[in-house]
Amino acid sequence: MPHLFDPFRIGRLELANRILVAPMCQYSATDGTPGDWHLIHLGHLALSGAALLIVEATAVSPEGRITSGDLGLYDDANERGLARVIAAVRAHSPIALALQLAHAGRKASSRAPWDGGAQVKPSEPGGWQTVSASAVPHAEGEAPPLALDAAGLAKIRVDFAATARRAARLGFDGVEVHAAHGYLLHQFLSPLANRRDDRYGGSLENRMRFPLEVFDAVRAAFPPERPVWVRVSATDWVDGGWDIEGTLAFTHALKARGCAAIHVSSGGVSPRQRIAAGPGYQVPYAARVKAETGLATVAVGLITEPAQAEAIVANGEADAVSLARAMLYDPRWPWHAAAALGARVQAPPQYWRSQPRAYKDLFENAHFGQR
Ligand SMILES: Cc1cc2nc3c(=O)[nH]c(=O)nc-3n(C[C@H](O)[C@H](O)[C@H](O)COP(=O)(O)O)c2cc1C
């Protein structure tokens, strides 16, 4: 049996294999509430054969959205909308579901990527005033965020906890706290964005303080038997920025607080980043985090080939892989990986007859007859 299709556990959450669907913003919600697009999009990814579907960055408050189309889970209408999507997925797929909890900080109030992705200034229609660790804009010429004061920090902790409670009520199997890609929690970690001189800035310990407080608030708000984990950027790809040493210290601190896994990405905090992108380019960071912290580790980033994914897990570089773009391009990627690697995968009975003649034992429990 290939290792990629070995069962896996994040905390007490049992997963059928080690293929995860990475979180992917759709910028297609209305006032944070998902509609038919999410039903179709998450519905078809739920039939992929992956073990876990991590629902896109979901804002804990309206001002925490990257764009005005971001998914949110801060009011009852958002919760009702997600309940409809989840009910449809659960009715037709055994896939585990997690929600990524997010606050965009100074990268909030943006246009959707297909509208250019630029900042919408607070003075422009549809824009709003952003907040961050410090009043330092993401890019030169952008309207600066407001530096959060004690009341602002407290509100964000409460918002994360409230969204975690809604996620629990919706039946999510786990939550991922988004501390990567230059969004609010990463803005606290990175010395490029965090210029505070209070107990939330300066030393590594101080810069980790707010993200760890948010983790604690989420962990306390989500049922103890269900896992909470964190997505990090392992490096800013900028000299003097957040780096792998900080990531290791942060992961150790998270592990001590009951974090169930770490999802290792990179970049996003500075337009000065110089990313050496290539196949599996973030895997060495995941491998170091796994080797040095022993926490369950998920690798992501340009993992596109079944043999490549299999090697990452078989070599012990990560416990699981997550795929984003490859999964959009080919939503049956896990089926094709199972076929290529000689494994079996769950598929819905409605599709069992599609099993190719060359892979007679591909779909678990598949059987059909006709008169
Ligand atoms: C359309 C799209 C939306 C994304 N949205 C999110 C998101 O909501 N949260 C997040 O942490 N990463 C997000 N990402 C990053 C992916 O999760 C992933 O880390 C990245 O695309 C690299 O993996 P890949 O090479 O398999 O695509 C997004 C990527 C894409 C392509």
Side-chain angles (χ1 to χ4, degrees):
M1 264 292 275
H3 297 78
L4 191 61
F5 287 86
D6 277 348
F8 173 51
R9 277 172 47 168
I10 298 184
R12 281 185 245 169
L13 176 61
E14 303 211 354
L15 301 175
N17 59 49
R18 288 147 187 267
I19 306 169
L20 281 44
V21 183
M24 283 181 274
C25 285
Q26 297 298 295
Y27 317 102
S28 299
T30 305
D31 297 325
T33 300
D36 289 349
W37 174 256
H38 284 89
L39 198 70
I40 294 168
H41 163 68
L42 295 171
H44 87 115
L45 290 177
L47 305 180
S48 63
L52 173 67
L53 171 55
I54 308 175
V55 174
E56 71 192 76
T58 299
V60 300
S61 62
E63 64 279 10
R65 294 173 299 168
I66 306 166
T67 75
S68 57
D70 278 28
L71 196 60
L73 184 54
Y74 43 76
D75 68 22
D76 293 347
N78 301 158
E79 193 174 327
R80 279 193 300 275
L82 260 175
R84 171 174 170 260
V85 174
I86 291 167
V89 168
R90 295 283 196 213
H92 297 290
S93 167
I95 201 165
L97 290 173
L99 186 69
Q100 190 185 50
L101 307 189
H103 190 302
R106 68 182 187 177
K107 283 172 83 174
S109 191
S110 302
R111 291 183 212 289
W114 53 76
D115 290 327
Q119 183 185 47
V120 187
K121 295 209 159 77
S123 53
E124 292 178 277
W128 63 88
Q129 176 62 55
T130 63
V131 295
S132 185
S134 303
V136 181
H138 176 73
E140 237 172 86
E142 291 187 349
L146 291 177
L148 285 158
D149 60 12
L153 294 175
K155 178 185 180 297
I156 289 169
R157 285 191 296 265
V158 167
D159 288 344
F160 268 93
T163 299
R165 273 191 291 278
R166 288 185 188 274
R169 211 152 53 213
L170 284 166
F172 277 101
D173 301 299
V175 294
E176 174 174 281
V177 175
H178 197 352
H181 301 167
Y183 297 112
L184 183 67
L185 301 183
H186 185 182
Q187 289 159 28
F188 273 83
L189 295 172
S190 174
L192 302 178
N194 184 340
R195 307 278 170 76
R196 297 173 79 98
D197 54 13
D198 63 0
R199 54 202 292 273
Y200 292 101
S203 67
L204 173 62
E205 188 186 357
N206 280 358
R207 282 180 280 119
M208 295 194 317
R209 191 181 310 279
F210 184 62
L212 290 173
E213 286 175 359
V214 167
F215 175 81
D216 287 344
V218 171
R219 184 55 285 181
F222 202 62
E225 68 281 6
R226 290 190 242 168
V228 176
W229 66 91
V230 176
R231 193 173 221 209
V232 290
S233 281
T235 174
D236 287 346
W237 301 102
V238 178
D239 285 342
W242 179 250
D243 58 13
I244 182 67
E245 301 303 329
T247 303
L248 292 168
F250 186 49
T251 307
H252 277 298
L254 287 166
K255 188 180 177 188
R257 292 167 134 83
C259 180
I262 191 93
H263 194 170
V264 184
S265 188
S266 75
V269 92
S270 169
R272 291 191 286 130
Q273 67 187 12
R274 291 289 167 266
I275 302 185
Y281 68 107
Q282 295 169 154
V283 175
Y285 293 111
R288 259 198 87 181
V289 172
K290 178 174 156 60
E292 294 185 36
T293 70
L295 195 56
T297 301
V298 182
V300 65
L302 289 178
I303 300 169
T304 55
E305 306 306 318
Q308 176 197 16
E310 168 63 15
I312 291 165
V313 175
N315 297 339
E317 292 170 288
D319 296 291
V321 295
S322 80
L323 283 72
R325 291 164 292 184
M327 203 66 83
L328 291 186
Y329 190 67
D330 175 8
R332 305 279 184 267
W333 193 94
W335 295 14
H336 302 141
L341 298 171
R344 309 185 74 203
V345 69
Q346 285 180 328
Q350 293 92 332
Y351 290 177
W352 280 346
R353 289 178 65 186
S354 72
Q355 185 170 267
R357 294 173 73 88
Y359 306 106
K360 286 214 176 311
D361 207 19
L362 180 61
F363 297 148
E364 284 173 23
N365 303 320
H367 55 272
F368 38 82
Q370 58 188 15
R371 325 174 46 193

